[in-house]
C-alpha cells in the first residue's frame, strides 16, 4: 500500500506539471489578446483625468459637492471638500500616437450608431488632438493632465484652444490652484498668462505660490466696494459665497471682508486686450459678476465656462445676459455651460467637435433623460450617448439677393398683406412680438430671415408640432410665417377637433398625431404610437414614421416643437442624413432642465442663440448664422418683463437689473 500510494502521488505530480506547462502558453496568448500592446492607446488613456479613474471606481477627489450645515438663502452649496485633496496615486498617461494625416475638412464617414461601440473612433480623434497639443507646446511633464470637474478644460483645449500660443485666461472664483481647476492646464502646461480672482485669502496665497497668474484677492461684482465672504470653517478648500456687508454668518461659517471691482475695471487696469478663455464660478454671485462685464465686447472674450446648475438658480438669469453680449451657448457640460463668442472663427469652421463620451457622462445623461416623462431607454441612448459627427451643413455664404427681388424687410412685406399682419408688424416694433407668445418668431425672423424668405431665397418651409390645446393663430410660432409671409409647412396636432380647427384656418398640411407619444424606430408596443403621424382613431396599425411625412423635403427652415416631442424628432435616424433644420424653436417651461435638448442638439452641430422664458432658439453652427449682429427683445416685451421680475425675486439691485437686461446690440 505504501508503494501504491507513492505511485499515485508521483502520477498526480506529473499530471499537475503537465497542466502547468500547458497553461503558460495559454496565459501568454490571452495576455497578448486582451492587454494593450506597447504604443497603443486605449479609450481611457485619452479621457480627462477624472474619467480615466472612473472606469474602476470613482476617485475620492471628485466626490459630490458637499452641502453646508446651514446654507444661505439663495446661495450654492460649497463645491470643494476635504476629499478633493486626495488625488489617485497612479493614473495612466496618454500613450504617444502619430498625428493623423487627414485635414480638418477631409472628414471620414460618420460611424454607425452604437454608443460605446464607437468609442475607438472618439478615442482616436481625441488621441490625435492630444498628440498635436503635446507636440506644439512641447509638453513632456507626466504631471500635465486635465483637472476640470466636468471636463471643461479638456473640451475647450482639444476642440478650440490647442493651437493658441501665448494665450490669456481669466479665472474668476479660482479656488484651489490645481484641484478641479479650469485653468491649471493652460497655465502650467501651455504657458498661458492670466488673472486669477479669488476672495479667500488662504486660497489666494496658494495661487500666488503655485501659479503664474496675476492674483487678485477679491471678487468681481458691480459693487466697487468691500463685500463679505462667508467661508465654512475648518476647511480652507471649501468654496465660500459673497454676501451683503451687513449680513450675518450662519452657524459654522466665518466672515472675511474682501475688495470687489468690475471685470471691466480689472481688465483695463491690467491692460488686457484679449481674453481667450474665462472661467466663472462664484457660487451664486454670477448675475452680479456678469453685470460688470464690458458692454462694448472690448476686450473680446472668446470662450467662457460658467456654472449653471438647474434648480439652484434660474439659468436664464445668467444665460440671457451673456447671449445679449455677443455669445452663444455651445454645450452644457453637466453643471456648467460653455459659452462662445459668436465672432470666434473656429466656432463655425471646426467641422467636428470632441465630446466626453465617458461613464461619468453616461450616468448623468441617463438620469436626466429617464427622469423626463419616462422616455424610452433606447431613445435616451440614441439622442444623447451615440457618437455623432457634426451634420455636414453646406459651407454657406451670405445669400446674394436676385436683382428682380425686392430688398424689403419681412415687416415691410407683412404690412402690405392685410390689416391683421399690419397690426402684428406694427406692434412688434414696440413689443418684439408677432404671433409667438414670447418673441420666438420675432427673434428668428429678425436675425436669420430678415427678408422673410428661406435660406434658398424662396418662400420658407416650416414644421410645427403643436401639443394638445395649442392655438392655430395668436400664440403659434408659425402663424405669422404662413399667413403674412406665405411660407409653406406641415402642422402636426393631437386630436380630431384640433385638426379640424387648424385645417379650417391654416394653409399648412395638417396631420393628426397620436395622443400617446410615439416611440420612433423602437418598435410598436400595444396602445403605443410609433410616430407622430397616425389615424384619427388613434389606431397603432395606422402609424407612420414622421420621416415619411418629411420625405419630399430636403430642408426645413424652422422647426417648432414642444420639449415633450422634440426628443423623438431628433431621435430619428434620418435626422443626420437629410432632416436638417436651420432654426429649431423649442417650447417649454422655465422649470424644465434646458440640458435635456441642449446636449443632443450640441452633439448634432447646433448652438443655443436665445432663451425666452424657457423657450429656446437653436441655430446651426454656420458662419451665416453666427456672424450676424443679433437683436433681442425690447424692454416692453413679455420676455424682458418676466426676466426683470425674476431678477427682482433673486434680490438684485435695480441698477444691476438694468445692466443685465440692457441690450448692447
Amino acid at each position: 500500500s505504501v508503494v501504491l500510494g507513492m505511485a499515485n502521488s508521483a502520477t498526480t505530480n506529473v499530471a499537475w506539471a503537465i497542466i502547468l506547462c500547458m497553461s503558460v502558453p495559454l496565459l501568454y496568448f490571452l495576455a497578448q489578446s486582451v492587454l494593450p500592446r506597447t504604443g497603443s492607446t486605449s479609450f481611457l488613456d485619452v479621457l480627462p483625468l477624472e474619467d480615466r479613474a472612473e472606469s474602476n471606481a470613482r476617485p475620492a477627489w471628485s466626490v459630490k459637492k458637499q452641502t453646508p450645515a446651514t446654507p444661505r438663502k439663495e446661495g450654492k452649496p460649497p463645491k470643494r471638500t476635504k476629499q478633493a485633496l486626495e488625488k489617485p496615486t497612479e493614473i495612466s498617461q496618454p500613450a504617444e500616437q502619430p498625428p493623423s494625416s487627414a485635414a480638418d475638412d477631409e472628414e471620414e464617414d460618420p460611424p454607425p450608431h452604437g454608443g460605446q461601440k464607437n468609442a475607438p473612433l472618439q478615442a482616436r480623434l481625441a488621441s490625435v488632438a492630444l498628440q498635436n497639443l503635446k507636440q506644439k507646446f512641447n509638453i513632456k511633464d507626466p504631471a500635465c493632465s486635465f483637472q476640470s470637474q466636468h471636463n471643461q478644460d479638456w473640451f475647450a483645449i482639444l476642440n478650440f484652444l490647442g493651437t493658441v500660443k501665448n494665450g490669456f485666461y481669466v479665472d474668476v472664483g479660482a479656488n484651489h490652484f490645481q484641484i478641479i481647476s479650469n485653468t491649471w492646464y493652460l497655465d502650467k502646461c501651455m504657458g498661458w498668462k492670466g488673472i486669477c480672482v479669488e476672495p479667500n485669502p488662504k486660497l489666494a496665497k496658494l495661487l500666488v505660490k503655485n501659479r503664474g497668474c496675476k492674483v487678485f484677492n477679491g471678487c468681481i461684482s458691480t459693487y466697487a466696494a468691500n463685500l463679505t465672504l462667508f467661508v465654512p470653517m475648518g476647511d480652507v478648500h471649501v468654496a465660500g459665497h459673497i454676501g451683503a456687508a451687513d449680513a450675518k454668518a450662519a452657524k459654522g461659517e466665518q466672515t472675511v471682508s474682501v475688495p470687489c471691482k468690475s471685470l471691466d475695471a480689472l481688465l483695463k487696469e491690467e491692460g488686457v486686450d484679449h481674453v481667450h478663455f474665462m472661467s466663472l464660478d462664484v457660487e451664486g454671485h454670477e448675475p452680479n459678476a456678469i453685470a460688470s462685464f464690458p458692454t462694448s465686447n472690448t476686450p473680446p472674450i472668446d470662450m467662457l465656462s460658467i456654472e449653471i446648475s438647474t434648480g439652484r438658480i434660474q439659468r436664464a438669469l445668467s444665460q440671457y445676459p451673456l447671449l445679449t453680449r455677443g455669445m452663444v451657448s455651445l454645450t452644457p457640460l453637466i453643471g456648467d455651460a460653455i459659452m462662445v463668442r459668436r465672432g470666434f472663427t473656429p466656432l463655425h469652421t471646426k467641422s467636428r467637435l470632441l465630446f466626453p463620451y465617458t461613464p461619468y457622462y453616461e450616468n448623468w445623461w441617463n438620469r436626466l433623460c429617464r427622469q423626463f416623462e419616462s422616455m424610452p431607454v433606447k431613445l435616451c441612448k440614441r439622442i444623447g450617448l451615440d457618437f455623432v459627427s457634426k451634420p455636414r451643413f453646406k459651407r454657406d455664404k451670405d445669400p446674394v439677393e436676385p436683382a428682380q427681388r425686392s430688398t424689403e424687410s419681412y415687416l415691410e412685406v407683412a404690412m402690405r398683406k392685410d390689416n391683421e399682419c399690419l397690426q402684428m408688424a406694427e406692434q412688434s416694433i414696440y413689443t418684439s412680438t408677432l404671433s409667438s407668445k414670447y418673441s420666438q418668431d420675432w427673434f428668428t425672423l429678425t436675425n436669420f430671415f430678415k427678408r422673410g424668405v428661406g435660406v434658398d431665397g424662396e418662400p420658407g418651409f416650416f414644421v410645427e408640432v403643436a401639443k394638445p390645446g395649442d392655438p392655430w393663430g395668436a400664440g403659434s410660432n408659425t402663424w405669422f410665417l404662413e399667413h403674412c409671409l406665405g411660407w409653406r409647412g406641415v402642422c402636426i396636432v393631437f386630436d380630431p377637433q384640433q385638426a379640424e380647427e387648424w385645417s379650417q384656418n391654416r394653409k399648412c398640411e395638417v396631420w393628426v398625431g397620436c395622443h400617446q407619444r410615439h416611440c420612433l424606430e423602437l418598435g410598436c408596443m400595444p396602445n403605443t404610437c410609433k410616430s407622430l403621424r397616425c389615424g384619427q382613431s388613434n389606431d397603432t396599425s395606422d402609424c407612420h414614421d414622421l420621416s415619411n411625412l418629411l420625405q419630399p423635403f430636403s430642408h426645413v427652415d424652422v422647426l417648432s416643437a414642444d420639449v415633450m416631442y422634440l426628443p423623438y424628432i431628433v431621435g430619428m435616424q434620418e435626422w443626420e442624413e437629410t432632416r436638417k433644420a436651420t432654426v429649431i424653436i423649442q417650447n417649454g417651461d422655465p422649470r424644465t432642465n434646458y440640458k435635456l435638448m441642449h446636449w443632443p442638439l450640441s452633439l448634432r452641430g447646433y448652438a443655443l442663440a436665445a432663451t425666452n422664458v424657457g423657450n429656446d432658439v437653436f441655430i446651426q453652427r454656420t458662419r451665416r448664422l453666427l456672424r450676424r449682429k443679433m437683436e433681442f427683445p425690447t424692454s416692453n416685451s413679455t420676455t424682458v418683463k418676466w426676466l426683470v421680475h425674476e431678477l427682482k425675486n433673486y434680490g438684485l439691485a435695480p441698477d444691476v437689473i438694468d445692466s443685465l437686461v440692457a441690450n448692447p446690440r
Side-chain angles (χ1 to χ4, degrees):
S1 62
V2 173
V3 173
L4 183 60
M6 293 177 62
N8 290 337
S9 177
T11 302
T12 302
N13 292 337
V14 171
W16 279 111
I18 294 174
I19 293 174
L20 181 62
C21 292
M22 294 177 64
S23 300
V24 170
L26 179 60
L27 291 174
Y28 177 79
F29 174 77
L30 291 174
Q32 290 294 316
S33 302
V34 176
L35 297 178
R37 300 180 181 180
T38 304
S40 65
T41 305
S42 69
F43 179 54
L44 293 177
D45 287 334
V46 297
L47 294 182
L49 179 67
E50 174 182 26
D51 294 307
R52 279 185 259 135
E54 188 172 353
S55 62
N56 297 320
R58 196 84 177 114
W61 56 276
S62 57
V63 297
K64 282 189 174 182
K65 298 183 181 182
Q66 173 183 332
T67 304
T70 309
R72 69 188 181 109
K73 183 177 180 180
E74 295 179 12
K76 301 178 182 179
K79 67 182 296 182
R80 277 87 177 183
T81 62
K82 284 186 176 181
Q83 292 89 338
L85 300 178
E86 302 173 10
K87 297 182 63 176
T89 55
E90 294 185 4
I91 296 293
S92 60
Q93 294 298 319
E96 301 295 333
Q97 197 175 65
S100 171
S101 59
D104 186 56
D105 291 338
E106 300 172 358
E107 298 189 28
E108 303 165 61
D109 291 333
H113 288 278
Q116 293 300 325
K117 294 181 181 179
N118 295 313
L121 176 59
Q122 165 78 358
R124 184 168 59 81
L125 295 174
S127 180
V128 169
L130 186 60
Q131 174 66 15
N132 292 338
L133 175 70
K134 288 185 175 182
Q135 290 181 352
K136 187 174 184 64
F137 291 89
N138 194 26
I139 300 175
K140 298 181 179 180
D141 187 353
C144 280
S145 57
F146 299 109
Q147 298 291 326
S148 293
Q149 185 177 19
H150 300 311
N151 312 335
Q152 299 98 307
D153 53 357
W154 180 92
F155 179 87
I157 293 172
L158 293 190
N159 284 309
F160 298 106
L161 305 177
T163 60
V164 180
K165 285 194 173 184
N166 303 317
F168 193 90
Y169 67 85
V170 176
D171 196 339
V172 181
N175 204 273
H176 191 270
F177 66 89
Q178 179 178 2
I179 303 301
I180 322 182
S181 170
N182 291 339
T183 59
W184 183 86
Y185 196 97
L186 297 171
D187 187 312
K188 305 299 290 185
C189 304
M190 297 174 63
W192 282 25
K193 296 180 180 180
I195 299 174
C196 295
V197 180
E198 175 51 51
N200 190 320
K202 295 181 179 179
L203 290 172
K205 290 180 181 179
L206 292 176
L207 286 165
V208 172
K209 181 180 179 181
N210 296 281
R211 291 282 292 272
C213 55
K214 176 70 176 294
V215 179
F216 171 52
N217 182 202
C219 77
I220 296 299
S221 177
T222 50
Y223 303 106
N226 284 7
L227 293 181
T228 303
L229 175 69
F230 296 88
V231 182
M233 293 185 295
D235 193 342
V236 68
H237 302 291
V238 175
H241 60 84
I242 296 292
D246 57 350
K248 296 182 180 180
K251 184 178 180 181
E253 289 184 332
Q254 56 184 341
T255 60
V256 179
S257 179
V258 296
C260 296
K261 63 179 64 175
S262 69
L263 179 65
D264 191 17
L266 179 63
L267 296 179
K268 288 180 179 178
E269 288 178 7
E270 300 299 329
V272 178
D273 58 3
H274 196 139
V275 177
H276 296 89
F277 180 81
M278 178 176 175
S279 175
L280 178 61
D281 185 356
V282 287
E283 306 302 321
H285 202 66
E286 282 85 358
N288 284 283
I290 294 171
S292 75
F293 277 35
T295 56
S296 61
N297 292 329
T298 304
I301 300 174
D302 291 339
M303 299 190 69
L304 169 67
S305 174
I306 178 172
E307 184 175 24
I308 301 179
S309 299
T310 305
R312 282 186 293 167
I313 178 175
Q314 287 281 6
R315 53 108 175 182
L317 305 187
S318 297
Q319 265 189 339
Y320 185 89
L322 291 172
L323 295 173
T324 63
R325 284 162 170 75
M327 289 189 159
V328 293
S329 181
L330 180 58
T331 185
L333 294 178
I334 302 185
D336 290 63
I338 298 295
M339 312 288 294
V340 184
R341 182 170 58 88
R342 289 199 302 266
F344 185 48
T345 301
L347 181 61
H348 59 81
T349 59
K350 186 73 175 180
S351 58
R352 174 183 282 148
L353 296 183
L354 297 170
F355 288 87
Y357 292 90
T358 66
Y360 185 28
Y361 271 78
E362 183 176 355
N363 293 334
W364 162 73
W365 172 251
N366 282 332
R367 289 196 304 270
L368 172 63
C369 185
R370 292 288 294 148
Q371 287 174 359
F372 180 79
E373 301 292 330
S374 300
M375 283 203 292
V377 175
K378 291 183 180 179
L379 178 61
C380 288
K381 177 178 179 295
R382 169 171 292 174
I383 65 175
L385 297 178
D386 280 359
F387 182 89
V388 292
S389 61
K390 173 183 175 293
R392 283 153 178 77
F393 303 134
K394 295 180 180 179
R395 291 185 177 276
D396 54 359
K397 300 179 180 179
D398 290 330
V400 178
E401 299 290 342
Q404 67 273 18
R405 195 172 71 210
S406 172
T407 58
E408 293 178 309
S409 70
Y410 75 89
L411 289 178
E412 293 173 323
V413 174
M415 287 179 180
R416 297 198 311 269
K417 176 67 176 178
D418 57 29
N419 289 334
E420 184 177 8
C421 294
L422 174 63
Q423 183 179 0
M424 285 191 287
E426 289 179 342
Q427 78 173 7
S428 70
I429 299 175
Y430 304 100
T431 64
S432 305
T433 303
L434 295 169
S435 63
S436 295
K437 187 176 180 180
Y438 298 116
S439 306
Q440 302 98 304
D441 55 355
W442 176 90
F443 177 85
T444 300
L445 286 168
T446 301
N447 292 298
F448 311 121
F449 304 99
K450 192 165 292 187
R451 302 300 178 192
V453 295
V455 293
D456 57 359
E458 301 297 330
F461 180 77
F462 66 85
V463 173
E464 178 167 12
V465 183
K467 68 178 185 294
D470 279 355
W472 57 265
S476 167
N477 291 334
T478 62
W479 166 238
F480 183 87
L481 301 176
E482 175 189 286
H483 179 63
C484 301
L485 300 180
W487 283 34
R488 299 175 301 118
V490 172
C491 300
I492 302 173
V493 295
F494 287 87
D495 64 70
Q497 183 178 357
Q498 187 183 23
E500 183 178 356
E501 183 181 0
W502 279 59
S503 298
Q504 292 175 354
N505 295 280
R506 295 290 297 263
K507 296 180 181 179
C508 57
E509 188 176 356
V510 180
W511 294 95
V512 180
C514 302
H515 289 286
Q516 300 179 18
R517 293 199 316 280
H518 66 301
C519 297
L520 281 170
E521 300 171 359
L522 305 176
C524 259
M525 303 296 291
N527 299 323
T528 302
C529 291
K530 186 181 178 184
S531 73
L532 289 171
R533 178 188 173 190
C534 49
Q536 296 183 1
S537 63
N538 204 27
D539 183 4
T540 57
S541 63
D542 201 20
C543 287
H544 298 280
D545 198 297
L546 182 62
S547 60
N548 296 331
L549 183 61
L550 300 178
Q551 190 66 38
F553 311 106
S554 61
H555 186 84
V556 177
D557 291 296
V558 174
L559 168 63
S560 173
D562 189 87
V563 67
M564 295 181 65
Y565 305 106
L566 192 54
Y568 295 86
I569 299 174
V570 175
M572 292 190 303
Q573 186 171 3
E574 291 85 350
W575 178 267
E576 294 158 26
E577 299 172 3
T578 58
R579 317 295 173 241
K580 300 182 180 72
T582 301
V583 176
I584 298 177
I585 300 176
Q586 172 194 285
N587 297 325
D589 187 273
R591 295 166 292 183
T592 302
N593 194 328
Y594 79 104
K595 303 167 190 175
L596 177 71
M597 284 314 305
H598 194 356
W599 173 256
L601 290 175
S602 297
L603 300 180
R604 288 156 175 82
Y606 288 84
L608 175 64
T611 176
N612 301 326
V613 197
N615 301 273
D616 298 330
V617 179
F618 295 91
I619 60 174
Q620 290 179 353
R621 203 160 43 84
T622 58
R623 187 179 76 91
R624 189 182 73 84
L625 301 180
L626 290 169
R627 298 286 289 187
R628 294 177 178 271
K629 293 182 179 179
M630 296 186 190
E631 295 187 30
F632 288 82
T634 64
S635 58
N636 295 320
S637 65
T638 306
T639 295
V640 174
K641 289 180 179 179
W642 172 84
L643 184 61
V644 170
H645 176 74
E646 293 296 323
L647 291 171
K648 288 181 179 178
N649 289 341
Y650 191 71
L652 297 181
D655 58 333
V656 177
I657 296 176
D658 291 341
S659 177
L660 288 173
V661 300
N663 180 10
R665 306 238 172 165

